[in-house]
Amino acid sequence: MSSIRWAFNISRWEPTETEFTLASSCLQQEEKNRIGKFIFKKDIKASLAGRLMIRKCLSEYTGVPYNLVEISRDVNGKPIYKDKNSKLPSVSFNVSHHGSFTVFAGEYNHSDIGIDVMKLEYNGRKSLDEYFQVMSRNFSLLEWKNINGTLNTTEQEKIKMFCRNWALKESYVKAVGLGLKIDLCQLNFDIHSDLSIDNITTNTSLYINNALQAWKFEESLLDPLHCVIVALKRTTLQEDINKNEAVFKQLTSIDLLESAIPILPPDDQYTKNFFSKL
């Protein structure tokens, strides 16, 4: 299988002390230190799940023992696999978390991949119109037309389309690894289809400075409140955008830890700190 798409519902995960101790012992020390600084349990669970999915994928599909997989970061802070053996399969991956989900996308022999998940809601303090006015500089005229729709479009439909457009931009930015160096309003996404659960839409096009880009965007819904988008660099504009599509498999906590081998010794204090958080 050349494509891996996993989703994990962190809102349903209430780890026991034993389970959390095992999960946290499967982190590299740098990862453990960084994750331990989060204030809220939900952020710890989201980031921890992402790291476990990375390690699970790399171990299963390269054959490297789970506890010997070494993850590092590139110059832009993007997690990458530190491959010490050039004979191993080339695996590119990316993770994202928002709302109730942490998601993972992996590809073999594919260099550029990005993923973003968004809960389709707005809960800011500003009114929706005020928020849209502030954010307008990040979108093209075509995108704003899609977001605002007709006069009969409901506020919730506008929020859904806003989140979808933002997730498209995030998935691309994460794939190319340039972060805030990209002027988001130059990324012009032309959307043609609605999203649905367990059905991959791939006919959204990306234009930069009016030029069509050789990128594929796999879009779907994990549930009615969460959209997920995977950005993949295509070799040419003519490359078949419908090949290698993979529906997201929703993992359980058993799936997440079934092949786990600890890297670090158990840390009871780290576990106590987690359960003391809000």
Side-chain angles (χ1 to χ4, degrees):
M1 186 177 182
S2 62
S3 303
I4 309 99
R5 305 288 184 267
W6 290 337
F8 182 70
N9 192 322
I10 53 176
S11 67
R12 296 176 183 170
W13 187 32
E14 296 297 337
T16 63
E17 290 189 10
T18 300
E19 190 176 31
F20 182 82
T21 299
L22 170 61
S24 60
S25 71
C26 294
L27 298 171
Q28 294 167 198
Q29 189 63 54
E30 173 274 329
E31 297 172 324
K32 180 180 173 182
N33 294 342
R34 182 175 52 80
I35 291 174
K37 293 178 182 178
F38 287 120
I39 302 299
F40 299 107
K41 282 182 180 178
K42 66 174 184 176
D43 296 319
I44 293 176
K45 292 193 297 180
S47 188
L48 177 56
R51 288 290 156 164
L52 294 175
M53 283 194 277
I54 292 173
R55 195 167 298 280
K56 174 183 173 71
C57 170
L58 293 176
S59 176
E60 289 181 0
Y61 291 93
T62 66
V64 175
Y66 188 97
N67 56 328
L68 298 183
V69 171
E70 190 171 347
I71 303 165
S72 59
R73 292 179 180 269
D74 64 16
V75 293
N76 295 303
K78 184 177 180 180
I80 57 173
Y81 173 43
K82 193 171 183 179
D83 185 5
K84 297 180 179 179
N85 185 349
S86 60
K87 295 181 181 180
L88 294 175
S90 173
V91 183
S92 298
F93 60 87
N94 202 220
V95 294
S96 175
H97 57 83
H98 190 247
S100 297
F101 285 93
T102 294
V103 292
F104 173 92
E107 290 284 326
Y108 301 103
N109 300 316
H110 199 110
S111 58
D112 296 322
I113 182 171
I115 188 172
D116 197 62
V117 60
M118 281 201 73
K119 188 172 184 180
L120 304 174
E121 67 175 7
Y122 172 67
N123 51 18
R125 295 183 179 181
K126 297 179 181 290
S127 70
L128 189 62
D129 287 341
E130 289 175 320
Y131 179 68
F132 277 3
Q133 186 174 4
V134 171
M135 297 298 291
S136 63
R137 63 181 179 273
N138 296 307
F139 295 89
S140 70
L141 293 177
L142 173 62
E143 290 169 335
W144 272 123
K145 182 179 178 180
N146 285 333
I147 291 169
N148 285 300
T150 67
L151 293 176
N152 296 322
T153 299
T154 66
E155 187 171 275
Q156 184 57 33
E157 288 171 335
K158 291 181 181 181
I159 291 170
K160 288 181 178 180
M161 187 57 75
F162 173 87
C163 291
R164 180 179 177 182
N165 274 272
W166 189 260
L168 280 163
K169 291 177 185 286
E170 284 283 349
S171 68
Y172 173 79
V173 167
K174 292 178 70 178
V176 297
L178 294 179
L180 297 177
K181 298 176 184 177
I182 293 180
D183 185 357
L184 294 180
C185 71
Q186 291 183 355
L187 308 179
N188 185 15
F189 286 94
D190 189 7
I191 293 173
H192 301 283
S193 302
D194 293 332
L195 299 184
S196 58
I197 298 173
D198 293 334
N199 181 49
I200 309 298
T201 295
T202 59
N203 60 1
T204 292
S205 302
L206 169 62
Y207 293 84
I208 299 179
N209 297 325
N210 297 320
L212 179 62
Q213 304 296 302
W215 282 80
K216 172 184 175 182
F217 297 90
E218 299 176 355
E219 303 179 80
S220 63
L221 295 176
L222 295 173
D223 65 16
L225 290 177
H226 294 82
C227 74
V228 61
I229 299 172
V230 179
L232 291 165
K233 178 73 172 177
R234 293 157 56 195
T235 306
T236 67
L237 287 171
Q238 288 72 39
E239 182 182 332
D240 182 8
I241 64 172
N242 295 310
K243 67 180 182 180
N244 295 331
E245 292 177 19
V247 174
F248 275 81
K249 176 184 178 181
Q250 297 210 22
L251 303 183
T252 66
S253 59
I254 294 175
D255 296 326
L256 201 61
L257 292 165
E258 64 179 351
S259 57
I261 301 174
I263 300 170
L264 301 173
D267 188 338
D268 292 339
Q269 186 59 52
Y270 194 84
T271 298
K272 289 180 181 178
N273 290 341
F274 168 77
F275 282 98
S276 69
K277 295 179 184 287
L278 299 175

